[in-house]
Amino acid sequence: MASLFHIPNEVFYSITSLLPNRDIKNLRLTCTRLSSHELRLDRVFLSPHPRDIEIFMCIASHDSYRGRIVELIYDDARFRRRVAHRSIGYDLDEDDPLDTHPAISPDRVIDGVPEWFICAYDDIQGDLEREPGRYITRPDHVEVAKQLESRLSIAQSYSQYQRIVDEQNETIAISADSRALQYGLKQFPCLRKVTLTAVAHGLTFRPKYETPFIRSLPYGFIYPIPRGWPESRGVLPFAVTTKAWDADGVKEKWRGLRVLLRALVTHSHSVTEFVVDVNQILTGISLRIFDNPNEEYEDLVSLVRRPNFSRFDLALFAGDPEQVNWPSYRNGLLYNMFMEAKDVQHVRLTTDLDPPEDIKMPAPYGTDGSEYFLPLRSLFPVHQWTQLRHFGLARFIVKQDDLTSFLADMPPTLRSVELSFLSFIRIGGGSYLGLLLDMREKLKWHERHTSERPKLTIFVDIDPPLFGRYVDISTEAEAVVYKNGKTPFADQDYPELDSGNSVYRDLEVGIERNMFNSADDCPFAEDDTLVKLGVYTEFDWPHPKPYLKNL
C-alpha cells in the first residue's frame, strides 16, 4: 500500500478511471485513505423493483453524485405471474386460461413448481449447455459455465421468481417508481437523456444493463427473461396482432412509457433526449398509439415540442401487417408529432415489420406492394429539420427511388445515416445494391470534405434468420459510396429472388454480430475461414462441442 500511495495522483486516477464501479467499491474497502474514492456515476436506473428504487433515491439525495447524472434508464421489463416458455414462441398473458394453451397442462405441478416454469427452466439450461458450440473457449464462456454449475434448483428459482413478481406488483400498486421519478427530475440538474427499455435483462447471465436489481439477483438464478412488451416472432407461422391503444388493459402493457411521459410533461427538467431502446428485438411501443389523439400521444407531442429537444429514438410494434395494414402510419399523427420537433438533431425510427409474402414474390406472382408502401416524406418532415445530424431507419418497407430522393433532401448538417434491415418492394422497388450505387452517383456525398461525409450504418439479417444475430456491412457500404468499392451484396445468385439484397458467407464480407454478446462478433465467413482465424474449433458439424464440464 505504501508504494501505491507513492504513485503520482494523476497516474493513480488514470488507473482507477479504467476500473468498473464494482472494482472501485472493492478498492474503497481496502483502507481508510481509499474509502472516500468516489464512484464514476453518470447514469441511474429505475424500475418497479425495490432495489432499483432504493439506489435511485440514494443517488438523487447525494449532494455530489446527483449533479453528475446525465442519463436515466427506465427498465420496463415486467415479470409476469406465468409466461409461455420460449419453445412455444408467443406470449401468454396472466389472464389467459392455461387450458387454452396448446403446450401447457393447467394441472401439472412437479414438486410445487408448475409445468410452464419447468419448461422454461429446461429450455434455458439446454441453451446454456450448448452455448459455446464451436467457439474457441473464451472468458465469457467460463463465467457462464461457472454460473451454470452453481445454478439454483428449479424449486429455488421458482421461489425467487414468485418473490420478485410479488415485490414488483406491490411497487406498482403504490406507484413507488413514479414518485421516485418525480423526485429525481428535481434532483438531477444535468439530466439530459431518458432511455426507456424492455430488454435490460438481455440473455441469461448476460444482461444488457446491469441495474442494481439485476446485480442483486442470486448467482446462478435461472428465470424466463422478461421483455415486458409484446414481441413479434418473425420466423414463426403466426404474428402478434395489436389491439387498439384504448382497449381494455392494452396501454398498461407499456406502463413505463406512460410513467415517463407523464413525469416529463408535468415537471421541470433539463431532458432533451428520449430513447426507446429495443436492441434489435422485434418489439416496441404499440403503433396503435397513433390511431387517434390520446393522452399518451399528446404527452409525446408536448415532449418533442420542448425548446432544444434534440434526440428521439422511436421503436414501434406494428404486429401482423396483413391484418393491420398500418393505418396508424397514414393518418398524419406520426408526421404531426415529428413536425413539432423543430430543434431535433437525431431521429431514429425502427419497427418490427416483417413484409407480407406477396411483396416478396417475384413477378408475376407478387404484387407491386403499393398498398404497403409509405413515402418517407409522408412520415418525416425533413424540410423542418434544419439541424439534423443523424437519421436512422430500420425494418421498413421502402422503394429505392423514394429513399434516394429523401436522402437528397437532408440538410448539410447530416453526419450519420443508418439504413438497416430494409425491405425493398420486389416489383419496381429497387435493392440495397441499387441504393448504394444511387447514393454514390446521385447524392455525390463523396465529393464532400471527409469531415462532412455522413457515416453509414447498415445491418442486414442473416438468411435464414438466426435469433439475435445480424451482419454489419457498414464498412463495405461506405467503401461503395465513398471509394467506388466493391459491393457486399450478391447480384449473381438467384437473381429473381435475391438480387442486390443478400449477403452470403462465401463472399466473406461484413461482421456477424450478436446483439447481446459482442464477444461472439466474428467475420461473416465460411466455417473453414473461421477455424483458420481461431474463432471456431475444428470438428465435424453438426455435433455440438462438449460443454466446459471441468470448470
Side-chain angles (χ1 to χ4, degrees):
M1 272 305 199
S3 60
L4 178 64
F5 292 135
H6 281 89
I7 296 176
N9 284 339
E10 59 270 22
V11 176
F12 176 76
Y13 285 109
S14 294
I15 295 172
T16 57
S17 69
L18 302 176
L19 298 176
N21 277 332
R22 66 178 61 185
D23 290 337
I24 294 177
K25 290 177 183 178
N26 292 331
L27 188 66
R28 285 154 47 121
L29 298 175
T30 58
C31 67
T32 55
R33 180 170 178 181
L34 295 177
S35 63
S36 60
H37 192 80
E38 292 193 333
L39 302 174
R40 293 193 315 278
L41 293 177
D42 59 2
R43 66 183 185 182
V44 290
F45 299 97
L46 187 60
S47 74
H49 295 286
R51 182 59 176 168
D52 282 343
I53 295 173
E54 176 190 0
I55 300 301
F56 181 92
M57 293 297 291
C58 287
I59 296 174
S61 302
H62 195 283
D63 288 339
S64 176
Y65 289 144
R66 70 183 185 88
R68 306 177 187 179
I69 300 301
V70 297
E71 181 180 11
L72 186 158
I73 299 175
Y74 186 97
D75 173 16
D76 202 23
R78 299 267 289 276
F79 284 71
R80 299 183 180 183
R81 184 65 64 184
R82 62 176 184 254
V83 297
H85 59 279
R86 179 192 54 77
S87 61
I88 296 172
Y90 62 88
D91 290 335
L92 174 68
D93 286 335
E94 294 184 74
D95 297 331
D96 290 343
L98 285 176
D99 56 6
T100 64
H101 201 283
I104 295 182
S105 168
D107 301 319
R108 185 182 174 203
V109 176
I110 302 175
D111 295 331
V113 181
E115 184 183 13
W116 68 264
F117 193 89
I118 295 173
C119 291
Y121 187 100
D122 288 345
D123 280 346
I124 296 168
Q125 178 176 291
D127 286 345
L128 292 173
E129 289 173 344
R130 293 185 297 269
E131 186 196 59
R134 294 180 291 167
Y135 282 103
I136 296 291
T137 301
R138 300 189 309 258
D140 61 304
H141 292 152
V142 175
E143 176 55 34
V144 169
K146 289 179 179 178
Q147 290 215 49
L148 183 60
E149 291 292 328
S150 303
R151 64 188 176 277
L152 275 61
S153 68
I154 292 180
Q156 291 171 324
S157 292
Y158 181 68
S159 176
Q160 287 285 344
Y161 186 87
Q162 294 302 315
R163 178 187 62 81
I164 290 170
V165 173
D166 289 339
E167 291 179 349
Q168 167 198 272
N169 292 345
E170 289 172 7
T171 300
I172 291 174
I174 61 175
S175 298
D177 56 332
S178 179
R179 295 199 306 271
L181 174 62
Q182 296 169 25
Y183 177 72
L185 290 179
K186 296 186 297 182
Q187 294 295 103
F188 301 134
C190 297
L191 183 64
R192 181 180 71 250
K193 179 181 179 182
V194 170
T195 298
L196 172 67
T197 184
V199 299
H201 290 256
L203 301 177
T204 302
F205 305 151
R206 284 198 181 98
K208 176 173 172 55
Y209 295 113
E210 292 191 356
T211 70
F213 164 66
I214 292 175
R215 291 199 304 271
S216 72
L217 295 176
Y219 192 78
F221 174 36
I222 293 178
Y223 60 97
I225 296 297
R227 295 290 185 225
W229 306 336
E231 183 179 336
S232 178
R233 327 281 192 183
V235 298
L236 295 176
F238 39 75
V240 179
T241 301
T242 55
K243 299 179 181 179
W245 180 253
D246 290 324
D248 290 343
V250 170
K251 63 173 64 178
E252 190 56 29
K253 294 180 183 292
W254 289 272
R255 178 181 176 274
L257 172 72
R258 300 174 65 212
V259 167
L260 287 177
L261 290 179
R262 273 285 81 195
L264 290 173
V265 300
T266 56
H267 294 80
S268 298
H269 57 81
S270 56
V271 175
T272 59
E273 302 179 18
F274 188 77
V275 175
V276 180
D277 175 20
V278 297
N279 196 37
Q280 315 299 349
I281 294 291
L282 302 182
T283 187
I285 298 168
S286 173
L287 177 62
R288 304 297 295 277
I289 194 175
F290 296 104
D291 277 2
N292 300 290
N294 53 70
E295 181 180 21
E296 290 73 27
Y297 172 78
E298 296 298 338
D299 285 348
L300 275 173
V301 172
S302 297
L303 177 63
V304 303
R305 184 189 291 145
R306 289 173 59 89
N308 301 317
F309 183 83
S310 61
R311 176 173 180 176
F312 193 18
D313 286 33
L314 181 61
L316 293 177
F317 175 77
D320 185 352
E322 294 182 348
Q323 295 185 46
V324 179
N325 202 22
W326 318 308
S328 308
Y329 283 126
R330 304 177 187 277
N331 62 21
L333 289 183
L334 184 62
Y335 180 88
N336 292 340
M337 181 196 69
F338 280 131
M339 276 283 288
E340 297 296 330
K342 294 180 170 54
D343 296 329
V344 75
Q345 299 180 26
H346 178 121
V347 172
R348 183 176 189 267
L349 175 66
T350 183
T351 80
D352 68 320
L353 290 185
D354 183 32
E357 290 300 321
D358 58 354
I359 72 169
K360 299 179 182 179
M361 298 294 291
Y365 307 105
T367 70
D368 63 2
S370 58
E371 66 270 36
Y372 302 111
F373 173 64
L374 291 158
L376 294 178
R377 289 181 185 82
S378 69
L379 298 175
F380 305 105
V382 65
H383 62 280
Q384 281 277 113
W385 296 338
T386 57
Q387 305 175 58
L388 192 67
R389 297 185 62 83
H390 174 84
F391 177 79
L393 186 66
R395 298 207 181 278
F396 216 75
I397 297 174
V398 298
K399 287 185 178 180
Q400 177 183 317
D401 291 345
D402 180 72
L403 181 51
T404 303
S405 63
F406 178 75
L407 293 173
D409 288 343
M410 291 286 175
T413 56
L414 190 71
R415 291 297 178 267
S416 58
V417 174
E418 179 188 355
L419 303 169
S420 296
F421 311 111
L422 299 181
S423 296
F424 292 81
I425 293 174
R426 282 297 178 196
I427 302 177
S431 65
Y432 260 124
L433 172 59
L435 175 66
L436 293 181
L437 297 177
D438 269 0
M439 293 174 69
R440 184 175 68 197
E441 301 300 327
K442 297 181 179 180
L443 300 184
K444 299 190 181 301
W445 286 350
H446 63 281
E447 296 180 356
R448 299 183 182 182
H449 188 275
T450 52
S451 64
E452 298 179 352
R453 294 174 181 173
K455 177 178 175 58
L456 299 182
T457 298
I458 296 181
F459 304 147
V460 295
D461 284 316
I462 295 174
D463 188 16
L466 292 175
F467 175 77
R469 295 177 181 272
Y470 57 92
V471 184
D472 181 350
I473 57 163
S474 305
T475 300
E476 291 79 4
E478 285 197 344
V480 173
V481 175
Y482 296 130
K483 301 177 182 178
N484 202 25
K486 182 180 179 180
T487 173
F489 294 101
D491 58 357
Q492 71 276 11
D493 295 324
Y494 309 106
E496 73 280 6
L497 293 177
D498 300 304
S499 179
N501 286 314
S502 297
V503 293
Y504 296 103
R505 292 188 183 275
D506 57 358
L507 297 178
E508 298 192 349
V509 295
I511 302 296
E512 181 178 341
R513 301 197 183 278
N514 186 319
M515 66 176 67
F516 283 117
N517 184 19
S518 60
D520 272 354
D521 292 354
C522 63
F524 187 61
E526 296 281 13
D527 292 351
D528 291 346
T529 299
L530 296 179
V531 169
K532 293 176 182 178
L533 293 174
V535 177
Y536 285 167
T537 57
E538 191 168 6
F539 67 98
D540 293 332
W541 182 255
H543 302 295
K545 176 183 176 182
Y547 200 60
L548 314 176
K549 297 295 185 182
N550 299 320
L551 295 174

